[in-house]
Amino acid sequence: MSRYIQGAAHLDKEDELYQKSSHSNKILILRNRGILYSFLIRDGRIYKAAREEKEEFPIGTVLLGKVLNVAKQFQGAFFSLDAVKGGKGKTGFLQIKDHACYKPVNREADGRILCGDEMPVQIIKQAKGTKPPGLTTEYSLAGQFVVVKRGRGKVVYSAKLAEADKGQLEENFEQWKEKLLSENPSKTSCFAGVDITFRTNAPSVKAEVWRDELLDLVSQLEDIDQLSRTRTVYSKLYEPEAFYLDFIKDQRIDTTTEIVTDEKDVYETLMGHAYTRSLPVRFYEDGRISLASIYALDTHLKELLSPKVYMKSGAYLMIEPTEAFIAVDVNSGKAEKKTESEEFYFRTNLEAVKEVCYQMSARNLSGMILVDFINMKEKEHERALIETLKKETAKDQVPTRFIDLTRLGIGEITRKKTSRTLQYMLRDWEWKNL
């Protein structure tokens, strides 16, 4: 990207080009072809992206559905999600769990799920091909610091929390809970039948912040329960926030320095929102050069869509998605062998591990990922490679697990599907000439 801006040969230190280098971790929110996008920029690279989707039932929506039929062969039930005269409306699929407690609102609950039952369900997976959206009756609401869901009163803590942080949170929560219930016994409903999960952001703020959020989310759960008993079937009981707010709340507060947007309405929304209490928000309004151009988004995105990925050493990866899995091949390329071959292959493989983990996150790859590393002879190098794979995959915000390194030197990794790939998100992106 050219650094030259017409009429601006000398930029002051408040200019975005200086701001770009002074802050390494940012969230950008901008519009391309009329569609809003969010990007997490870390050390000059795109680590995560999301886009505005116009869907009738976004993930997170809670509505009052009606059981069409119970499919015992699939261990599930098909729900009708809307009413269409003279035709078939939208449907969803609920996987039936052995120990779940189903509570229809149009009859007395007896633990069973029957045709004609009306009950609140939440969209947890979008429709794919001929498969309908995935549903759950254990609906949940997520904030920046806690997640609450209908359950059995469990309290859990993010696996990514340090033990010291977890211990402090647990102690603070139990003390606050005991005091709250002793002063106001009516608050028992805040904990009975509600599962609570503390997120990785919880230790980054004062206890009263996550307490307020927890009480607010539980209140929203109670509102959903109340509405389900008074609204007619197919009514929407809860709709998720704007996609960029969900994007913000999922990022680590302690590693994100600011949010930058060139959209006035987005800026005004963010300035009055609870999610930005600990994150500075800045409105970009320099008409000389676009926000996307300053951060070279077109260049970085094209690199992320390419099957060939060059690494600093000169080695490269080839990333090829197939129907069954995603294949990644590690090649030494034109990298100079400044050391013995075995040591060179070991260093190249270690570099490849970090790059593969970055590419999985940035491209939002999921499913089974097989990485063909360069063969090494030393067992000690293999053990070190395995430890590095475990360490790096554990850093991913999306559940990612290293399975094994086969005798052929193929690393087996699984990554949970939480949303669509970067390639799909960019299906409407308008590219500029580079």
Side-chain angles (χ1 to χ4, degrees):
M1 183 193 76
S2 173
R3 301 289 179 180
Y4 176 73
I5 305 174
Q6 184 67 35
H10 301 287
L11 300 175
D12 59 45
K13 292 188 178 181
E14 296 301 316
D15 193 276
E16 185 68 25
L17 285 173
Y18 288 104
Q19 295 290 329
K20 174 187 173 183
S21 59
S22 64
H23 295 290
S24 56
N25 297 351
K26 296 187 179 188
I27 294 172
L28 304 183
I29 304 173
L30 48 86
R31 200 178 294 275
N32 182 291
R33 216 182 228 178
I35 300 169
L36 273 176
Y37 292 84
S38 294
F39 297 97
L40 175 64
I41 307 294
R42 185 182 301 161
D43 299 324
R45 304 184 85 182
I46 297 171
Y47 269 75
K48 189 177 180 181
R51 66 165 270 167
E52 178 181 36
E53 296 284 2
K54 303 294 185 181
E55 294 173 317
E56 185 178 359
F57 300 114
I59 289 177
T61 302
V62 181
L63 54 87
L64 195 57
K66 186 174 184 178
V67 179
L68 283 175
N69 62 72
V70 179
K72 293 184 178 180
Q73 68 273 31
F74 300 125
Q75 296 182 317
F78 288 93
F79 276 71
S80 173
L81 304 180
D82 62 4
V84 177
K85 292 183 179 179
K88 186 178 180 181
K90 298 281 186 180
T91 61
F93 181 75
L94 172 74
Q95 193 75 48
I96 295 177
K97 298 179 181 179
D98 291 337
H99 304 291
C101 182
Y102 298 107
K103 298 178 179 179
V105 298
N106 60 332
R107 68 176 179 89
E108 188 173 346
D110 57 7
R112 298 181 298 165
I113 183 168
L114 305 173
C115 289
D117 281 353
E118 298 174 9
M119 63 181 75
V121 290
Q122 185 173 46
I123 310 292
I124 55 173
K125 288 182 182 178
Q126 285 296 347
K128 184 179 180 181
T130 58
K131 292 183 179 180
L135 308 175
T136 181
T137 55
E138 296 178 337
Y139 42 88
S140 64
L141 302 178
Q144 266 186 311
F145 315 109
V146 294
V147 178
V148 299
K149 65 177 287 188
R150 281 292 167 219
R152 297 170 179 80
K154 295 187 299 183
V155 179
V156 297
Y157 301 84
S158 169
K160 295 185 183 295
L161 283 172
E163 286 301 315
D165 289 334
K166 177 182 173 182
Q168 187 65 50
L169 276 173
E170 190 171 8
E171 182 180 350
N172 287 343
F173 173 73
E174 292 300 331
Q175 289 176 353
W176 170 68
K177 176 183 174 182
E178 184 179 348
K179 182 180 179 182
L180 183 68
L181 294 181
S182 65
E183 295 176 350
N184 192 349
S186 64
K187 291 291 185 181
T188 302
S189 61
C190 292
F191 309 103
V194 176
D195 290 346
I196 301 169
T197 301
F198 281 90
R199 308 187 71 184
T200 51
N201 273 329
S204 303
V205 295
K206 294 180 179 179
E208 53 263 30
V209 177
W210 58 254
R211 290 172 190 167
D212 289 344
E213 183 178 81
L214 172 56
L215 292 174
D216 179 59
L217 291 174
V218 171
S219 177
Q220 289 184 56
L221 278 184
E222 292 172 345
D223 289 343
I224 292 172
D225 291 342
Q226 180 64 30
L227 288 172
S228 69
R229 292 189 289 269
T230 57
R231 295 290 180 88
T232 58
V233 68
Y234 307 129
S235 295
K236 288 185 180 179
L237 310 177
Y238 172 82
E239 294 186 72
E241 300 175 300
F243 87 99
Y244 58 85
L245 292 172
D246 275 336
F247 188 88
I248 291 168
K249 77 183 180 186
D250 287 339
Q251 309 312 319
R252 292 286 299 266
I253 290 177
D254 54 355
T255 59
T256 304
T257 55
E258 66 172 346
I259 303 168
V260 186
T261 181
D262 57 2
E263 294 293 318
K264 190 68 174 178
D265 58 333
V266 172
Y267 174 74
E268 291 173 351
T269 298
L270 293 176
M271 288 302 291
H273 203 281
Y275 293 165
T276 59
R277 282 178 296 194
S278 303
L279 290 174
V281 181
R282 189 157 51 85
F283 181 56
Y284 176 76
E285 50 185 337
D286 190 337
R288 296 170 296 177
I289 183 170
S290 70
L291 193 59
S293 295
I294 283 181
Y295 289 88
L297 291 185
D298 280 51
T299 300
H300 293 314
L301 291 173
K302 281 191 174 182
E303 289 172 353
L304 287 171
L305 295 181
S306 172
K308 196 169 188 176
V309 179
Y310 285 99
M311 297 186 289
K312 290 182 179 179
S313 65
Y316 64 91
L317 308 176
M318 288 298 298
I319 303 175
E320 298 287 352
T322 72
E323 286 293 323
F325 55 84
I326 296 167
V328 182
D329 188 29
V330 181
N331 292 276
S332 59
K334 297 180 180 179
E336 296 182 17
K337 300 180 182 180
K338 296 180 180 178
T339 60
E340 296 292 330
S341 294
E342 176 67 15
E343 183 67 19
F344 167 74
Y345 294 147
F346 174 56
R347 296 299 173 191
T348 302
N349 283 337
L350 290 182
E351 182 185 18
V353 170
K354 293 188 176 183
E355 188 62 33
V356 167
C357 290
Y358 163 72
Q359 294 291 330
M360 287 193 302
S361 173
R363 299 180 185 223
N364 202 19
L365 304 177
S366 60
M368 187 164 57
I369 300 158
L370 303 181
V371 185
D372 185 9
F373 290 101
I374 303 173
N375 290 332
M376 299 179 297
K377 297 177 181 179
E378 297 289 340
K379 291 297 181 183
E380 188 60 37
H381 286 167
E382 283 192 6
R383 285 192 287 270
L385 180 63
I386 289 171
E387 287 305 311
T388 304
L389 279 162
K390 290 178 180 178
K391 179 181 176 182
E392 292 299 321
T393 52
K395 293 178 182 178
D396 202 325
Q397 283 187 314
V398 174
T400 304
R401 192 159 66 100
F402 166 67
I403 305 299
D404 195 13
L405 185 69
T406 71
R407 293 175 66 182
L408 293 176
I410 297 175
E412 300 170 323
I413 301 170
T414 61
R415 191 170 188 268
K416 184 177 179 180
K417 182 179 178 66
T418 56
S419 58
R420 290 164 172 148
T421 64
L422 178 69
Q423 185 174 25
Y424 183 83
M425 291 180 196
L426 297 177
R427 62 192 184 276
D428 299 314
W429 186 271
E430 184 178 2
W431 302 96
K432 294 183 179 178
N433 294 327
L434 301 177

